[in-house]
Amino acid sequence: MKLEVAGLNSFYGRAHILFDVALEVGKGEVVALLGRNGAGKSTTFRSVVGLVSGRSGQVKFEGEDISRLPSYEIVRRGLGYVPEDRRIFTDLTVEENFEVGRQKPREGVAAWSQDRIYTLFPNLGEMRKRLGGEMSGGEQQMLSIGRTLMGNPSLVLLDEPSEGLAPKIVEQMADAILAMKREGLSIVISEQNLHFAKLICDRAYIIEKGRMRFSGTIAELEAHPEVRDAYLAV
């Protein structure tokens, strides 16, 4: 397995947010972590990459226990993270943002260059000198993903990649994620949008109030509408 999470508990101060969360991601899989707003999706991602100090449990990446490593060491091992708020450098250009994320190529992992990312996101290729702060929300999302790819990760966590985007941009995002999968990347997306997840994902987990409520294939989720209605319906 590329990523194995077991018994993950996370706290913000005294507030217990995640309760024994467990999930697995295999090589080349696209897996969805589904749930309503506030269900614990972002906290799960932040805990995996070491951004939540109050946590316990085990996180293994490429067979190595990374549970106690600082975030920068986790990223250096090839685990990429695209946060929900994108965190681009608004006063840097597209090209400069990419250079900030650059890491050396990794053996057995697709190597990404700026030109390859412009092929993945043609919109960005037309605005290489544009400042991040002068871009639309969809363009910033593409920039954030591209900057993460410049680190040549073998697995990427994408937090709410379709949120707030126009339908046309959502389609482009789905195509890009499938292209990343074809390159051998493992991908985990957190989503509220079940339709988007169905376009790109092999399997899904559902989280509600910090607890895992479902694990199975997209087809299995489709076969249980009562699960979808209980945990995903608005």
Side-chain angles (χ1 to χ4, degrees):
M1 283 290 168
K2 298 290 290 185
L3 180 68
E4 300 171 84
V5 178
L8 183 61
N9 288 266
S10 295
F11 301 81
Y12 291 139
R14 295 184 178 181
H16 195 168
I17 307 299
L18 300 182
F19 300 83
D20 293 323
V21 164
L23 61 88
E24 294 183 343
V25 184
K27 179 176 173 57
E29 271 196 309
V30 181
V31 175
L33 179 61
L34 301 170
R36 297 185 181 101
N37 232 350
K41 303 185 302 298
S42 293
T43 300
T44 299
F45 280 10
R46 287 173 53 81
S47 298
V48 166
V49 295
L51 293 173
V52 176
S53 57
R55 70 191 191 284
S56 62
Q58 187 177 65
V59 179
K60 294 178 73 175
F61 179 59
E62 304 275 24
E64 178 187 3
D65 189 338
I66 62 170
S67 307
R68 297 292 171 262
L69 293 180
S71 297
Y72 70 89
E73 287 287 359
I74 292 172
V75 172
R76 283 178 179 174
R77 282 160 170 74
L79 201 164
Y81 171 52
V82 181
E84 181 181 7
D85 55 3
R86 295 156 191 157
R87 298 289 180 95
I88 63 163
F89 294 98
T90 56
D91 55 347
L92 298 183
T93 66
V94 169
E95 291 179 330
E96 290 167 341
N97 266 276
F98 284 163
E99 286 305 308
V100 169
R102 182 186 292 277
Q103 293 188 55
K104 294 179 180 179
R106 304 175 198 279
E107 187 176 348
V109 177
W112 292 89
S113 63
Q114 289 199 24
D115 286 341
R116 291 196 67 202
I117 293 169
Y118 295 141
T119 299
L120 189 67
F121 296 119
N123 306 42
L124 298 183
E126 300 170 0
M127 52 184 72
R128 304 179 187 206
K129 301 297 183 183
R130 186 171 300 180
L131 295 178
E134 298 174 353
M135 303 169 73
S136 70
E139 291 160 354
Q140 290 183 349
Q141 182 70 286
M142 295 174 188
L143 177 58
S144 185
I145 293 173
R147 183 182 61 190
T148 299
L149 291 178
M150 287 294 291
N152 298 310
S154 61
L155 184 145
V156 177
L157 305 176
L158 295 179
D159 198 357
E160 301 276 8
S162 74
E163 184 179 30
L165 302 186
K168 182 178 180 181
I169 302 299
V170 171
E171 289 181 15
Q172 293 179 14
M173 194 64 63
D175 290 342
I177 291 172
L178 290 173
M180 290 156 60
K181 178 184 179 181
R182 288 193 292 272
E183 293 289 344
L185 268 175
S186 302
I187 302 166
V188 190
I189 66 166
S190 77
E191 267 296 335
Q192 299 179 59
N193 185 339
L194 178 58
H195 174 70
F196 180 77
K198 284 160 55 177
L199 293 175
I200 59 175
C201 293
D202 304 299
R203 295 188 296 111
Y205 293 90
I206 295 178
I207 189 169
E208 172 70 9
K209 296 181 179 177
R211 301 179 189 272
M212 287 302 195
R213 304 296 188 181
F214 173 86
S215 170
T217 65
I218 294 294
E220 288 168 342
L221 179 56
E222 289 279 88
H224 292 86
E226 72 281 1
V227 174
R228 178 195 63 210
D229 295 344
Y231 299 120
L232 299 177
V234 177

